[in-house]
Amino acid sequence: MDLYPHEMLPDVDHDGRSLQNFAMSFRAHLASKVRPGTRAVYEKRVKPGFQQKFHREPADKGEVGKEMTQDPYYQFWSAMQRKSQEMMWDCVIEVIEPQIERLNDRAKQVSQAGTGVKGSLELSPDLEIPRYHTVADIHLQPGGFHTEVADDDVTAGAIYDNAVAIYANGALGPKNDLLGRTLAHYLKQQYPDRKPGTILDMGCGIGNSTVAWAEAFPDAEVHGIDVGAPMLRYGHARAESIGVAAHFKQQNAEETSYPDESFDLIVSHIVFHETSSKALPRILQECHRLLKPGGMMLHVDIPGAEGAFDAFMMEWETTNNNENFAGMFRETDLAATATRMGFAEGKARMEDMPRLLEQRQQTYSDRAINWPVLVGEK
Amino acid sequence: MTTTVTETTKSQPPKALRTAKGKKPQYFSDPAIDKLLSIVISLAGELSVTRDRLDAVERLLEQHQVFGVADVDQFHPSAEVEEIRAEKRSRFIERMMRVVEAELEEITGEDMPQSREEILKSLR
């Protein structure tokens, strides 16, 4: 899981790496050996128990959940899965905490390197952080994406970059950019005539997908917005260090400061399911405002599941990993919402994006599933 | 006195947060089991690191033909080494006991949601 070398990576000593390796091995064990057992437990123990009581099968994920959460095997897997997520953050923080000031200084140096700097960073310290970030820390990352623990802080970004590589067991690639690469590849395959000159990546975080878009379309002007300042500082320094030009701004995607019709293409990567039912339509309305006539939006997000059991298992992260909106998100008709918020009838639709995955992402599911993409044309 | 405290605080390196805000689910009927499981897995992590480190030391020793395992058995750490070990040990214990601290933070922290329902309400 060695990351692509850039100047914002922390130094990792022997024990730090060893504990991260343990966290990764433990998570891989849970994903390959323990989680798959929940299906057998459901089929052989939980479902028959339900059938005996009610003389029918559980009808939906709610009924499955009521029974499964009482099952000792499921309880133990679930508790260990939660612990493995907490441990993933902790073993990264253990390495980064002593280097916070050094990383913050380095980000400043890289970002202000003078003539070499290709992109930009624009922070808005007065921006109100949306409630869906502050009510609970998304993915259990302590402090979330927005909390700063020092001046000019990049800590949240540094933690995220290193932890997400452990989360995906390296499957996102050395630049943690699988989703950006996959979506850019999808655009080129499905819409070969589209050559966007201006691209906006919403909820860009540390810009791992933003950089992928800049690499896929080297002549385009690429912007990334996010509400988390530490993510953006880190992201800008990281992009500069990789040698890619991208413009990072601290903005809320519900209401940005860009003028109307600024972009040919607007993208986001598994962002919407972390927002709220108030924010999501507003973001789509903002997409419509920001797109040039003839422009396109592509938003890739988490898959749903068929069948009561798979639907229940897929909701694990909603309840246990602070993806609190994900359950409501899965019940949202995205194309209809986009149409309601300004896209012309028939101009917004869901498409299936095949995974580029060399290796299946380990915790969402034990089956390979396509990514759903909301496509909108103005 | 106040000045000293302020100066000390200023010179302290920044600390990262260690507990995620949000309502942690209870997995077992007895919450003590949740904590015990968490502690046990942390311990397994520490043990795994220690085994790797010992392995590294043993391989390096062998490579450099410095000394054998018997010499390690005879080793008596100096006061200075003991101090370093004590520091490392207390950080190890802090990590191991974080789950207990987390419960307290949920109770005492500012603006902590007390239920998932409360979180969902603010997302509606």
Side-chain angles (χ1 to χ4, degrees):
Chain A
M1 71 129 226
D2 277 339
L3 289 177
Y4 182 87
H6 59 76
E7 290 175 82
M8 293 310 299
L9 290 181
D11 296 328
V12 188
D13 66 7
H14 173 279
D15 288 8
R17 180 164 297 269
S18 179
L19 190 57
Q20 290 181 8
N21 286 343
F22 174 81
M24 205 148 67
S25 302
F26 182 53
R27 289 175 62 82
H29 176 85
L30 290 178
S32 64
K33 300 277 187 343
V34 186
R35 187 191 197 279
T38 56
R39 188 183 298 277
V41 161
Y42 175 69
E43 293 294 341
K44 292 199 187 318
R45 184 159 73 195
V46 175
K47 195 162 80 177
F50 185 94
Q51 280 166 324
Q52 218 163 31
K53 262 191 286 180
F54 301 105
H55 309 290
R56 61 176 177 87
E57 287 191 12
D60 54 30
K61 64 184 179 187
E63 284 193 350
V64 173
K66 256 191 199 146
E67 303 296 315
M68 281 299 279
T69 49
Q70 300 306 309
D71 184 87
Y73 184 92
Y74 174 83
Q75 284 177 343
F76 212 74
W77 165 73
S78 185
M80 286 193 292
Q81 187 66 32
R82 166 81 184 204
K83 171 64 184 180
S84 81
Q85 182 76 5
E86 292 171 349
M87 196 175 205
M88 173 192 90
W89 296 114
D90 207 48
C91 69
V92 168
I93 295 168
E94 190 73 11
V95 163
I96 286 173
E97 189 175 63
Q99 306 181 52
I100 289 173
E101 283 173 318
R102 198 169 56 78
L103 288 171
N104 290 348
D105 286 346
R106 198 182 290 173
K108 254 189 284 183
Q109 283 165 16
V110 177
S111 301
Q112 298 167 358
T115 51
V117 172
K118 298 168 167 178
S120 62
L121 173 67
E122 194 184 293
L123 299 177
S124 310
D126 296 333
L127 183 84
E128 195 191 332
I129 306 297
R131 184 66 180 153
Y132 56 81
H133 279 282
T134 60
V135 69
D137 291 337
I138 291 169
H139 304 145
L140 310 184
Q141 177 174 346
F145 303 138
H146 56 283
T147 305
E148 303 183 46
V149 298
D151 292 338
D152 301 319
D153 194 28
V154 301
T155 304
I159 291 170
Y160 180 86
D161 197 12
N162 289 276
V164 81
I166 298 174
Y167 178 83
N169 205 1
L172 298 177
K175 288 185 187 164
N176 281 327
D177 64 351
L178 181 85
L179 278 169
R181 269 192 290 130
T182 310
L183 193 57
H185 176 78
Y186 183 75
L187 176 71
K188 287 182 175 183
Q189 291 281 308
Q190 299 296 315
Y191 303 96
D193 295 339
R194 297 230 170 226
K195 306 264 186 305
T198 45
I199 302 173
L200 175 65
D201 181 12
M202 287 179 156
C204 69
I206 59 162
N208 38 346
S209 295
T210 323
V211 166
W213 280 100
E215 287 172 334
F217 293 96
D219 297 329
E221 185 179 308
V222 180
H223 290 243
I225 58 168
D226 202 278
V227 293
M231 305 291 275
L232 293 164
R233 287 192 197 97
Y234 181 90
H236 179 232
R238 176 185 178 274
E240 292 297 337
S241 179
I242 290 175
V244 166
H247 303 280
F248 293 95
K249 290 191 203 304
Q250 189 179 13
Q251 299 257 345
N252 184 339
E254 294 168 61
E255 192 175 9
T256 72
S257 65
Y258 290 107
D260 294 356
E261 302 180 1
S262 292
F263 295 98
D264 296 312
L265 177 68
I266 299 177
V267 295
S268 73
H269 312 80
I270 47 172
V271 172
F272 285 179
H273 74 281
E274 311 288 11
T275 62
S276 71
S277 45
K278 272 205 190 95
L280 183 51
R282 283 167 54 79
I283 293 170
L284 290 170
Q285 188 173 37
E286 185 68 356
C287 286
H288 189 264
R289 184 182 76 80
L290 294 178
L291 280 177
K292 291 180 188 173
M296 178 179 253
M297 66 173 182
L298 294 172
H299 303 285
V300 58
D301 219 302
I302 51 172
E306 297 203 358
F309 174 73
D310 286 300
F312 163 70
M313 288 301 285
M314 204 154 252
E315 289 288 312
W316 187 87
E317 312 236 1
T318 306
T319 321
N320 297 278
N321 196 24
N322 275 350
E323 302 213 299
N324 289 294
F325 179 57
M328 292 184 228
F329 171 77
R330 285 199 171 95
E331 285 158 17
T332 306
D333 184 336
L334 285 178
T337 309
T339 306
R340 183 162 57 82
M341 298 318 288
F343 285 84
E345 205 64 47
K347 288 291 189 181
R349 60 189 171 272
M350 297 306 297
E351 292 184 6
D352 255 1
M353 179 177 81
R355 298 195 168 204
L356 277 187
L357 281 183
E358 303 82 19
Q359 203 181 342
R360 284 202 309 256
Q361 222 254 19
Q362 298 235 7
T363 49
Y364 283 142
S365 174
D366 50 356
R367 291 163 178 198
I369 301 165
N370 290 343
W371 292 103
V373 181
L374 170 64
V375 181
E377 287 167 304
K378 185 170 169 181
Chain B
M1 198 62 180
T2 316
T3 318
T4 321
V5 171
T6 314
E7 274 171 6
T8 316
T9 314
K10 257 189 179 166
S11 64
Q12 292 289 323
K15 288 249 174 244
L17 300 177
R18 292 298 189 128
T19 309
K21 186 180 171 185
K23 188 70 193 151
K24 181 167 176 154
Q26 185 180 316
Y27 295 93
F28 302 102
S29 55
D30 183 349
I33 301 173
D34 287 39
K35 292 194 188 68
L36 280 173
L37 184 71
S38 177
I39 291 168
V40 167
I41 295 165
S42 289
L43 282 172
E46 296 299 331
L47 180 61
S48 176
V49 172
T50 309
R51 288 176 76 137
D52 281 355
R53 193 167 180 97
L54 266 180
D55 181 69
V57 170
E58 281 166 12
R59 283 172 202 279
L60 282 169
L61 286 175
E62 197 178 272
Q63 215 176 77
H64 294 277
Q65 296 176 337
V66 183
F67 51 76
V69 179
D71 296 298
V72 181
D73 291 334
Q74 302 298 319
F75 178 71
H76 293 290
S78 67
E80 197 189 347
V81 171
E82 284 288 21
E83 213 174 298
I84 293 167
R85 285 186 175 191
E87 169 61 25
K88 283 188 177 178
R89 204 155 46 232
S90 57
R91 287 183 53 205
F92 163 31
I93 292 167
E94 271 173 35
R95 282 203 295 276
M96 187 174 77
M97 299 304 286
R98 189 150 301 126
V99 63
V100 184
E101 203 180 313
E103 186 174 11
L104 198 62
E105 282 179 30
E106 239 181 47
I107 297 164
T108 58
E110 267 182 6
D111 189 30
M112 302 297 270
Q114 290 308 309
S115 66
R116 251 195 104 236
E117 195 42 49
E118 194 184 320
I119 297 170
L120 294 180
K121 225 158 93 184
S122 71
L123 301 178
R124 268 176 202 124

